[in-house]
């Protein structure tokens, strides 16, 4: 009979250990008993980027990176993108089940009622430099929300968590749009609660002098689908930041600020901006082959390509590619799309990309659509943050309610100096000290 255990023989001591295997994992703490002597700390695993370490048990999102499968709470992303709305997906992500019609209505109403932000927040948005990156403004303003809602500290009170969830999902688009309006020197456009979640975001972004802004329904739906595609992606860099910072029991606004900061980086949420910059730099279809050569020579990376988890076509990239045609029918075709298609065509039959299993990820096409819809490049990661907010909340809540959760605190392998005695500054010579 096969046993769900792993037998480890420590060749340093000749001793054997039998360790349980559960859900295809061993517990790192089970390694601690493996010691060479009584005063040995015990064996640890070393995994700097969590490449092969599960940090939690989660029921939110399932990904099979080899097969290109993505499901939220069991529902395939393709079905949600085609049939659902962002707020319904937000409900599903946070609460675990699709809502009954009355629950969905109540949820939408609750979110809608919280779209306004305290007027003082506009005052410190005003204080940012005129060319401040809107993602920098978003990180700061969402953190500042915690000072407006001290009740958010009651993280183990289910009612408080529910209220902060509504506030966060409702206010992220308002903060995002206000950050944008500030950067272009336009007056803030206040929420219009007659509009849908996404329609209202477009209103706050794009409204000019008209009395009532009416979003184009094709663009409104396209952006709603893009938000759906970004709602969660299991234990990525920003979700990990949300859980790790949240594990100190800080309020959810501070933890979302940390997650938003993680998303700001070019290897994560900044990649769609980089992808568009890369396509613009390539400039024309004729230059694609030359650019691929540079990538293969290690001079640069193909932005929007490759993924830690997907070793197949990112299912979200497939859906976005389909939306692109609908958006371009309204906005006119982006000149970058032909370059992107040619880049994808050449890369997908090139030995380097095949052997490295590099495929387009969600960021490869999303930036082109955002740009066609009129969003400036530096708003791209901000749009990602709006879509990802329900996922961060779901991951945070799951972490808080998991009885195994303790404050996140990895171990290290110390490689620094051994003990040495302090030398007063006057006695140090130039050649024994590090340059400042
Ligand atoms: N272009 C060219 N080569 C690449 C690329 C790329 N985009 N991505 C990975 N590689 C190569 C690396 O050079 C490396 O090659 P080697 O083994 O011959 O040295 C190999 O593939 C593995 O690369 P890693 O960097 O180790 O892969 P990792 O899993 O750490 O990184 C990442 C994943 C960060 C997404 C990477 O593929 C990348 O930098 N892509 C471009 C940026 C991007 O699109 N990011 C968005 C990710 S999706 C998201 O956050 C929503």
């Amino acid at each position: 009979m096969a046993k769900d255990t792993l037998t480890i023989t420590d060749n340093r001591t000749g001793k054997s250990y039998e360790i349980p295997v559960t859900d295809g994992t061993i517990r790192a703490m089970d390694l601690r008993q493996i010691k060479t002597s009584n005063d040995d700390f015990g064996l640890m695993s070393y995994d700097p980027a969590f490449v092969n370490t599960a940090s939690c048990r989660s029921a939110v999102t399932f990904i099979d990176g080899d097969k290109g499968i993505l499901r939220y709470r069991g529902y395939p992303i393709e079905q949600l993108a085609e049939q659902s709305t962002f707020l319904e997906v937000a409900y599903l992500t946070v609460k675990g089940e699709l809502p009954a019609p009355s629950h969905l209505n109540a949820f939408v109403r609750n979110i809608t009622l919280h779209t306004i932000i305290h007027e003082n927040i506009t005052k410190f948005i005003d204080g940012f430099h005129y060319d401040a990156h809107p993602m920098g403004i978003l990180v700061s303003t969402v953190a500042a929300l915690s000072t407006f809602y001290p009740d958010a500290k009651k993280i183990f009170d289910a009612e408080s968590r529910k209220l902060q969830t509504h506030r966060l999902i409702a206010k992220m688009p308002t903060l995002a749009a206000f950050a944008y309006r500030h950067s272009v020197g336009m007056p803030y456009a206040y929420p219009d609660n007659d509009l849908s979640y996404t329609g209202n975001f477009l209103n706050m972004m794009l409204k000019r002098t008209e009395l009532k802004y009416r979003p184009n329904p094709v663009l409104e739906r396209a952006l709603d689908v893009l938000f759906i595609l970004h709602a969660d992606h299991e234990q990525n860099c920003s979700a990990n930041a949300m859980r790790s910072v949240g594990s100190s029991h800080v309020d959810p606004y501070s933890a979302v600020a940390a997650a938003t900061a993680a998303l700001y980086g070019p290897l994560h949420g900044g990649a769609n901006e980089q992808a568009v910059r890369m396509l613009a730099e390539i400039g024309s279809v004729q230059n694609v082959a030359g650019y691929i050569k540079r990538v293969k020579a290690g001079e640069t990376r193909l932005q929007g390509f490759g993924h830690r988890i997907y070793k197949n076509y990112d299912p979200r990239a497939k859906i976005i590619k389909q939306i692109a045609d609908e958006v371009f029918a309204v906005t006119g075709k982006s000149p970058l799309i032909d370059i992107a298609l040619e880049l994808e065509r050449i890369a997908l039959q090139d030995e380097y990309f095949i052997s490295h299993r590099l495929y387009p990820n969600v960021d490869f096409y999303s930036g082109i659509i955002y740009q066609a819809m009129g969003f400036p490049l530096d708003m791209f990661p901000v749009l990602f943050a709006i879509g990802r907010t329900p996922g961060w909340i779901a991951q945070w809540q799951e972490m808080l309610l998991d009885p195994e959760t303790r404050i996140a605190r990895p171990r290290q392998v110390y490689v620094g100096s051994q003990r040495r005695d302090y030398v007063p500054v006057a006695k140090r010579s130039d050649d024994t000290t590090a340059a400042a």
Side-chain angles (χ1 to χ4, degrees):
M1 251 298 262
K3 281 167 80 182
D4 284 335
T5 61
L6 177 76
T7 301
I8 299 176
T9 304
D10 186 348
N11 294 323
R12 299 170 302 173
T13 59
K15 280 195 200 159
S16 278
Y17 304 82
E18 193 174 344
I19 289 178
V21 175
T22 312
D23 298 326
T25 63
I26 59 162
R27 285 192 171 253
M29 270 307 282
D30 284 343
L31 300 174
R32 189 69 74 74
Q33 58 184 306
I34 304 177
K35 298 182 177 198
T36 51
S37 62
N38 276 346
D39 58 358
D40 181 358
F41 181 75
L43 199 66
M44 293 193 297
S45 58
Y46 177 62
D47 189 5
F50 302 121
V51 179
N52 197 38
T53 296
S55 61
C56 61
R57 298 169 69 82
S58 181
V60 182
T61 290
F62 173 81
I63 302 175
D64 182 328
D66 284 330
K67 298 198 182 115
I69 293 174
L70 170 61
R71 296 180 199 136
Y72 300 153
R73 303 283 187 184
Y75 294 99
I77 190 66
E78 294 79 4
Q79 291 182 17
L80 295 172
E82 200 183 324
Q83 299 174 52
S84 189
T85 60
F86 176 63
L87 283 189
E88 186 179 55
V89 167
Y91 184 106
L92 171 72
T93 312
V94 172
K95 299 194 180 230
E97 295 297 334
L98 284 171
S102 62
H103 292 169
L104 179 60
N105 288 342
F107 185 71
V108 171
R109 189 178 141 73
N110 277 327
I111 302 283
T112 308
L113 288 178
H114 284 102
T115 48
I116 286 198
I117 52 176
H118 194 290
E119 196 60 16
N120 282 357
I121 293 178
T122 63
K123 300 207 174 91
F124 58 78
I125 295 182
D126 288 344
F128 281 94
H129 206 47
Y130 73 94
D131 60 354
H133 196 294
M135 199 63 172
I137 301 182
L138 186 64
V139 170
S140 320
T141 49
V142 75
L145 286 185
S146 75
T147 65
F148 289 84
Y149 305 116
D151 56 320
K153 288 192 171 45
K154 292 188 259 162
I155 55 172
F156 290 107
D157 174 339
E159 277 309 305
S160 171
R161 281 201 307 275
K162 194 165 146 190
L163 180 57
Q164 315 319 326
T165 298
H166 295 152
R167 284 175 173 157
L168 268 163
I169 296 174
K171 292 181 199 303
M172 283 295 267
T174 315
L175 297 176
F178 281 24
Y180 166 71
R181 304 283 287 205
H182 172 72
S183 69
V184 290
M186 284 177 75
Y188 304 120
Y190 283 78
D192 179 345
N193 287 349
D194 291 342
L195 298 174
S196 72
Y197 182 84
T198 305
N200 171 50
F201 174 60
L202 288 169
N203 157 66
M204 293 187 291
M205 285 286 300
L206 305 174
K207 184 172 191 279
R208 287 171 187 267
T209 52
E210 64 272 43
L211 286 178
K212 177 99 185 155
Y213 176 84
R214 297 197 190 283
N216 178 297
V218 174
L219 302 187
E220 182 182 3
R221 175 63 191 158
L223 190 56
D224 207 59
V225 174
L226 281 155
F227 286 156
I228 292 175
L229 298 182
H230 286 88
D232 193 56
H233 212 233
E234 52 120 304
Q235 304 314 311
N236 54 84
C237 180
S238 57
N240 183 57
M242 182 81 198
R243 281 179 175 262
S244 183
V245 171
S247 77
S248 74
H249 291 178
V250 74
D251 67 86
Y253 301 101
S254 303
V256 166
T260 310
L263 191 66
Y264 196 175
L267 295 187
H268 190 10
N272 48 15
E273 181 178 343
Q274 298 307 327
V276 169
R277 286 191 201 282
M278 175 191 72
L279 294 171
E281 184 195 328
I282 295 173
S284 79
V285 170
Q286 288 78 351
N287 297 338
V288 167
Y291 195 83
I292 297 255
K293 256 193 204 148
R294 285 183 53 210
V295 172
K296 285 164 65 179
E299 283 174 42
T300 182
R301 283 197 169 194
L302 213 48
Q303 295 301 326
F305 255 69
H307 199 277
R308 173 63 60 77
I309 303 292
Y310 292 117
K311 302 301 169 197
N312 199 326
Y313 211 104
D314 182 336
R316 300 167 299 174
K318 258 187 211 154
I319 297 167
I320 293 183
K321 217 170 143 184
Q322 289 157 11
I323 302 174
D325 289 336
E326 293 159 30
V327 170
F328 295 155
V330 176
T331 63
K333 193 171 154 191
S334 161
L336 300 184
I337 190 72
D338 289 333
I339 304 173
L341 290 170
E342 180 66 359
L343 206 53
E344 180 187 326
R345 189 187 68 76
I346 298 189
L348 292 189
Q349 47 189 328
D350 187 289
E351 180 45 32
Y352 175 90
F353 294 91
I354 295 169
S355 63
H356 284 79
R357 304 182 72 190
L358 297 169
Y359 293 85
N361 61 47
V362 66
D363 292 322
F364 192 62
Y365 289 106
S366 61
I368 307 177
I369 299 185
Y370 292 148
Q371 196 184 37
M373 290 172 85
F375 293 110
L377 294 193
D378 54 11
M379 275 302 283
F380 295 0
V382 173
L383 299 170
F384 192 156
I386 296 173
R388 185 52 58 86
T389 300
W392 288 332
I393 296 169
Q395 298 285 345
W396 167 73
Q397 186 157 263
E398 187 174 62
M399 175 275 303
L400 281 181
L401 301 182
D402 183 341
E404 284 203 285
T405 294
R406 293 163 72 188
I407 187 166
R409 205 313 186 175
R411 291 277 174 181
Q412 65 167 8
V413 177
Y414 179 69
V415 294
S417 301
Q418 293 305 312
R419 184 193 180 282
R420 48 187 175 163
D421 289 322
Y422 178 81
V423 180
V425 68
K427 292 197 175 164
R428 284 174 230 154
S429 64
D430 283 349
D431 49 335
T432 56
T433 54

